[in-house]
Amino acid sequence: MSLKSERRGIHVDQSELLCKKGCGYYGNPAWQGFCSKCWREEYHKARQKQIQEDWELAERLQREEEEAFASSQSGQAAPSLTFSKFEEKKTNEKTRKVTTVKRFFSASSRVGSKKAEIQETKAPSPSINRQTSIETDRVSKEFIEFLKTFHKTGQDIYKQTKLFLEAMHYKRDLSIEEQSECTQDFYQNMAERMQTRGKVPPEKVEKIMDQIEKYIMTRLYKYVFCPETTDDEKKDLTIQKRIRALHWVTPQMLCVPVNEEIPEVSDMVVKAITDIIEMDSKRVPRDKLACVTRCSKHVFSAIKVTKNEPASADDFLPTLIYIVLKGNPPRLQSNIQYVTRFCNPSRLMTGEDGYYFTNLCCAVAFIEKLDAQSLNLSQEDFDRYMSGQTSPRKQESENWSPDACLGVKQMYKNLDLLSQLNERQERIMSEAKKLEKDLIDWTDGIAKEVQDIVEKCPLEIKPPNQSLAAIDSENVENDKLPPPLQPQVYAG
């Protein structure tokens, strides 16, 4: 079987990782294949369309009420009073229909506007002044110390960041998507503000944005990570259960070019698994991306050591899938969604962080849709493996290296023996059921044959024949016959 056919279910063309709109940035399955910039454009178009439809509906309702009012009322005074009430009702109706949209596009969501600054400074959030945790306090001090080097620009950055946190306190009732949009708008506004007003060089803007992201997301983490209003937790449990059911998948099935018998390669695999699991312990999206990047670099190193040549993209994705299956990272979907929603978009759209994160999203999507064809297995074998009835054959004892642990060897031998016994039991049960069915069919067949014979040749029971009459039975005068002769003895 050719290598291409073996990988038909795993191979991903590198062009498929890019934004499907053709802008050249990396796409994301969570954004339907768009990059962050194109997705926001599509998202805003959809929202504008919804706003337009809401206004058209409100205007249509207004016309209908006016026509109904004109046909049912007469006079001048009453219409004036009623029309004023109608205007109030119309305003309330429109406000109710587009409340979310107005709140999203309101000045309060644009931290960069002067009006928003004045309004929000009047009502500071009590959550900002609460007793912070040790980590939050540490990050706050680091952020302030970092901004001191930028003098006036640093003061403006701190002011805008604080206003944004206060604004987000009042927007916790919004959906997580709308909070994400507010955060992405803040990132964009701050980057533009530093370049236009502060005249900050682009390379320093990136460093400042990293510190801003670290500061605000450390404070917002517990409110926006896996919120109860989303189904992130449900997705976490689903993918975790799915990975557990796929514990039997071997590197050979995925065409993973990694030989874990090499100590150096085995250590790299362990480090890659550790990094992908560590992602859940981080609060800042950039730190979570750094875990994915470190994991991916260990994967590339393991492939390079195994093959003695640089790894290709076709080698990387199957190996990353194997790492995810072997590690089963906690809250995997929640972490992916969190990074997608609140990470600085420039990191997800370009660079190695964006490339590795896009591959991770592809790996998770492949695991969710993994089937028998993807692993070159028959549907029957795939179903048996998934149900736990059996497992693929493990390595035989002669294939083990001399330094392998005896306990591990014995464990795999026992697993093989259990697998064989399970197969024998299933075969015996199948043959027993077949024998039982054959006996039932044979009994039914014999009964049917007997019934057919009885129907064809019915049994007729005749009355018993009359007993034969004596020779002299017709002699009615038997009683007049002389007695029989008695033998007499004569003496001579």
Side-chain angles (χ1 to χ4, degrees):
M1 183 178 295
S2 64
L3 185 61
K4 184 177 180 180
S5 62
E6 290 178 351
R7 288 179 177 164
R8 63 178 181 275
I10 304 178
H11 173 73
V12 174
D13 192 350
Q14 294 303 294
S15 61
E16 298 178 7
L17 301 179
L18 301 177
C19 175
K20 65 181 183 181
K21 202 170 182 179
C23 63
Y25 296 119
Y26 290 120
N28 192 312
W31 295 327
Q32 300 179 4
F34 292 103
C35 67
S36 175
K37 181 180 179 181
C38 296
W39 168 247
R40 294 179 67 197
E41 292 176 356
E42 296 295 325
Y43 181 76
H44 282 304
K45 287 180 182 178
R47 294 187 67 86
Q48 290 295 336
K49 182 179 179 181
Q50 184 63 40
I51 294 172
Q52 183 65 28
E53 292 177 354
D54 289 341
W55 281 109
E56 291 176 356
L57 176 61
E59 292 176 355
R60 182 170 60 83
L61 293 175
Q62 176 185 352
R63 289 195 301 270
E64 292 177 356
E65 287 200 27
E66 289 176 348
E67 293 173 358
F69 174 78
S71 63
S72 61
Q73 300 292 332
S74 60
Q76 299 295 330
S80 177
L81 179 61
T82 309
F83 186 76
S84 63
K85 293 182 178 180
F86 167 75
E87 286 293 328
E88 181 181 356
K89 181 179 179 181
K90 182 192 72 173
T91 304
N92 293 337
E93 178 70 16
K94 290 182 178 181
T95 304
R96 183 182 66 81
K97 286 182 174 295
V98 295
T99 298
T100 303
V101 179
K102 283 188 174 183
R103 292 172 69 180
F104 177 76
F105 288 101
S106 63
S108 61
S109 65
R110 304 294 181 177
V111 183
S113 63
K114 183 175 181 181
K115 184 178 179 181
E117 297 173 6
I118 297 175
Q119 291 178 350
E120 292 170 350
T121 51
K122 291 181 180 179
S125 170
S127 64
I128 302 300
N129 300 322
R130 73 183 186 280
Q131 184 66 29
T132 58
S133 63
I134 297 177
E135 182 177 1
T136 303
D137 189 36
R138 177 181 58 81
V139 171
S140 299
K141 291 181 179 179
E142 291 178 356
F143 185 61
I144 293 174
E145 291 296 326
F146 173 79
L147 293 179
K148 285 182 179 179
T149 58
F150 293 92
H151 306 292
K152 187 176 180 180
T153 302
Q155 295 178 1
D156 181 67
I157 293 172
Y158 182 76
K159 178 182 178 181
Q160 296 299 323
T161 305
K162 186 176 180 181
L163 289 174
F164 169 75
L165 290 174
E166 293 176 352
M168 289 297 291
H169 172 74
Y170 294 104
K171 294 179 181 180
R172 291 179 188 171
D173 294 335
L174 298 180
S175 66
I176 193 65
E177 287 76 15
E178 290 172 323
Q179 294 184 57
S180 171
E181 284 295 317
C182 292
T183 306
Q184 297 296 329
D185 284 342
F186 174 72
Y187 287 148
Q188 182 178 356
N189 292 336
M190 286 302 301
E192 294 176 354
R193 190 184 185 95
M194 285 186 288
Q195 292 178 356
T196 56
R197 296 189 181 184
K199 306 298 181 182
V200 181
E203 60 275 7
K204 290 188 177 181
V205 170
E206 190 68 24
K207 294 181 179 180
I208 296 174
M209 290 305 301
D210 289 341
Q211 293 297 323
I212 292 175
E213 177 190 309
K214 181 178 181 180
Y215 176 65
I216 65 174
M217 295 316 303
T218 301
R219 287 182 168 271
L220 297 176
Y221 176 79
K222 67 178 183 179
Y223 303 111
V224 298
F225 181 84
C226 191
E228 296 180 355
T229 56
T230 65
D231 59 349
D232 291 351
E233 184 177 1
K234 181 179 178 181
K235 292 180 179 179
D236 288 335
L237 297 176
T238 301
I239 191 65
Q240 188 178 58
K241 183 178 179 181
R242 175 71 171 172
I243 292 176
R244 286 177 179 173
L246 293 169
H247 68 277
W248 48 268
V249 176
T250 62
Q252 292 75 21
M253 293 179 180
L254 295 171
C255 301
V256 175
V258 168
N259 185 5
E260 294 186 68
E261 294 183 2
I262 303 175
E264 185 179 358
V265 174
S266 179
D267 291 341
M268 292 177 182
V269 170
V270 172
K271 290 180 181 178
I273 294 174
T274 303
D275 289 331
I276 199 68
I277 292 176
E278 188 182 1
M279 176 176 62
D280 185 60
S281 65
K282 304 298 181 181
R283 287 192 173 191
V284 184
R286 180 170 61 92
D287 293 341
K288 292 182 181 292
L289 279 180
C291 293
V292 177
T293 300
R294 289 197 302 269
C295 169
S296 301
K297 289 184 176 180
H298 287 312
V299 169
F300 273 108
S301 299
I303 297 173
K304 184 178 180 180
V305 172
T306 302
K307 299 180 65 177
N308 291 323
E309 61 181 16
S312 64
D314 290 341
D315 296 329
F316 169 66
L317 184 57
T319 310
L320 182 61
I321 294 171
Y322 174 67
I323 294 296
V324 174
L325 288 175
K326 198 169 182 179
N328 197 0
R331 299 192 293 184
L332 181 58
Q333 287 286 7
S334 291
N335 283 287
I336 290 177
Q337 291 295 333
Y338 175 71
V339 173
T340 301
R341 292 165 180 159
F342 297 101
C343 183
N344 186 357
S346 62
R347 285 193 170 273
L348 295 182
M349 294 163 58
T350 58
E352 62 178 6
D353 289 344
Y355 174 77
Y356 294 140
F357 183 74
T358 302
N359 276 274
L360 176 62
C361 294
C362 293
V364 175
F366 175 83
I367 292 173
E368 292 176 337
K369 300 178 181 179
L370 187 143
D371 54 12
Q373 185 178 4
S374 302
L375 300 176
N376 296 322
L377 296 175
S378 64
Q379 189 62 43
E380 181 181 0
D381 289 341
F382 182 81
D383 294 338
R384 293 172 65 188
Y385 295 156
M386 289 295 291
S387 62
Q389 295 179 1
T390 184
S391 62
R393 291 291 184 89
K394 302 297 188 298
Q395 299 179 2
E396 298 294 339
S397 59
E398 57 269 14
N399 295 331
W400 290 94
S401 62
D403 298 333
C405 177
L406 296 178
V408 175
K409 291 182 180 180
Q410 187 62 40
M411 180 185 69
Y412 279 112
K413 287 182 180 179
N414 293 339
L415 288 174
D416 288 338
L417 181 59
L418 288 174
S419 177
Q420 295 173 16
L421 291 175
N422 190 23
E423 292 177 359
R424 289 179 59 187
Q425 183 182 7
E426 290 180 355
R427 186 166 58 251
I428 291 173
M429 292 298 297
S430 177
E431 293 176 355
K433 290 180 179 180
K434 184 175 181 297
L435 178 60
E436 181 182 6
K437 184 177 182 300
D438 292 341
L439 289 174
I440 294 174
D441 294 342
W442 178 79
T443 304
D444 294 341
I446 295 297
K448 185 178 181 182
E449 290 180 5
V450 171
Q451 184 65 26
D452 293 341
I453 293 174
V454 170
E455 291 178 356
K456 185 181 296 183
C457 306
L459 179 63
E460 297 180 1
I461 301 177
K462 298 181 179 180
N465 296 329
Q466 297 180 355
S467 61
L468 296 176
I471 297 176
D472 53 354
S473 61
E474 296 179 356
N475 189 354
V476 297
E477 298 179 352
N478 286 339
D479 55 342
K480 298 179 179 181
L481 292 176
L485 297 177
Q486 297 293 333
Q488 296 180 4
V489 178
Y490 296 95

